[in-house]
Amino acid sequence: MSTAPVEYGAAVDRYLAEADLGHASRRVYRVSLLGWAWPLVGRRTPTGRDRRGARPPAVPLASLDNPETPECLRRGLTDRAATAQPSTLIRELACLRAATAWWLAQGWITTDPALGLAQPPAPTPPRPPNRARAALALRAPLRELTLWYFLHESRAPVEHVLALDIDHLDLPARHTRPGATTRLSWGEGTARLLPLLLAGRTAGPVFVTARRAPATTPPADRCPVTGRGRLSYRRAAELFTAATSPLDPSGRGWTLLALRDRDGTATP
């Protein structure tokens, strides 16, 4: 049994001199082990740039036998969990456990303060914002807002909704008529907006373009009152992406699939 060093940092050096580690691993172990010196004296371990070149506090090796030491290490581990990656915590904890077990075997300490330490559970990631609710709260033109509510409340494919004609709709019942190609239903938000969108029109596509359709447009895809054509999937998608770009942290905007997010229950 060798004579125990007085200071924690010296014990780290002695352990690393005997450990079967490569040069790179020895350096990682040293940084990790010296990082535990701060919690041993009740201080928070520096992070980021502050940790580089920071001189660890002098800690008597005998302090590892103090009854309060496991709690100090546990607090230090909790502090590190707030800023360090889980893989870093696992590595630093493994380094400490290996060193304290070796010191215990040398008789330099009488208890292993790292024995009961466990990595804190990873914090629960924040719930992503409900994109549908955010989109439906936008101040958008009546046509776009009606389409977005219809897509959200019906859960129907975009193509099916854009293919609807006015005579397919049973507005009081909030669903398509039996003769419609696709059976769809909608909720309160769509029910409030549809009559406003369809005011003055009794036939033709439900969702139409802002301009008159070219002469080559089939009659089934043209409004007989305004002459406007059926709104295309591509245009609907472009408008939604542009409208939601301020809501998207990346700035790119969302696809229409964002309207499938649940709980977007705001009503106009």
Side-chain angles (χ1 to χ4, degrees):
M1 184 181 298
S2 57
T3 303
V6 174
E7 205 267 326
Y8 173 80
V12 169
D13 291 337
R14 294 272 293 274
Y15 163 68
L16 295 177
E18 297 292 333
D20 184 17
L21 298 170
H23 177 74
S25 295
R26 186 172 285 107
R27 179 180 175 278
V28 169
Y29 267 65
R30 179 176 176 78
V31 172
S32 296
L33 289 172
L34 291 180
W36 290 103
W38 279 274
L40 288 172
V41 295
R43 293 166 57 186
R44 179 167 294 178
T45 304
T47 59
R49 293 181 178 179
D50 293 338
R51 188 169 182 178
R52 296 172 191 158
R55 188 179 182 87
V59 182
L61 182 62
S63 66
L64 270 63
D65 284 328
N66 290 344
E68 300 85 2
T69 295
E71 182 57 30
C72 291
L73 294 175
R74 191 171 294 107
R75 286 198 298 268
L77 188 61
T78 301
D79 285 341
R80 288 288 289 147
T83 57
Q85 294 293 326
S87 58
T88 300
L89 289 180
I90 292 172
R91 183 186 67 238
E92 293 184 351
L93 190 53
C95 292
L96 180 64
R97 284 173 173 161
T100 55
W102 191 82
W103 295 330
L104 186 64
Q106 302 305 307
W108 296 355
I109 56 178
T110 59
T111 59
D112 188 344
L115 194 60
L117 285 181
Q119 182 182 353
T124 303
R127 185 178 181 180
N130 185 285
R131 297 175 300 170
R133 183 184 294 114
L136 296 178
L138 289 171
R139 298 187 65 178
L142 175 61
R143 181 192 61 185
E144 277 67 72
L145 198 58
T146 307
L147 175 62
W148 300 348
Y149 266 95
F150 206 129
L151 292 172
H152 177 69
E153 294 180 345
S154 70
R155 319 296 295 175
V158 182
E159 300 93 332
H160 292 183
V161 174
L162 293 177
L164 289 172
D165 292 334
I166 296 174
D167 58 6
H168 293 157
L169 307 179
D170 186 336
L171 295 180
R174 299 185 185 178
H175 59 64
T176 51
R177 299 181 186 278
T181 305
T182 305
R183 184 71 169 175
L184 301 178
S185 60
W186 52 88
E188 182 180 353
T190 308
R192 291 184 181 183
L193 294 170
L194 271 175
L196 300 176
L197 180 70
L198 302 179
R201 295 194 294 131
T202 58
V206 174
F207 297 99
V208 294
T209 57
R211 298 179 180 179
R212 292 181 63 87
T216 55
T217 302
D221 291 328
R222 184 190 299 120
C223 173
V225 176
T226 65
R228 296 174 180 176
R230 189 182 303 275
L231 183 65
S232 69
Y233 186 123
R234 178 179 177 181
R235 184 57 178 156
E238 289 174 347
L239 291 169
F240 184 74
T241 297
T244 56
S245 61
L247 304 177
D248 183 3
S250 72
R252 293 190 293 268
W254 301 325
T255 70
L256 288 165
L257 288 175
L259 292 167
R260 289 185 174 271
D261 284 3
R262 295 288 184 180
D263 299 324
T265 53
T267 55

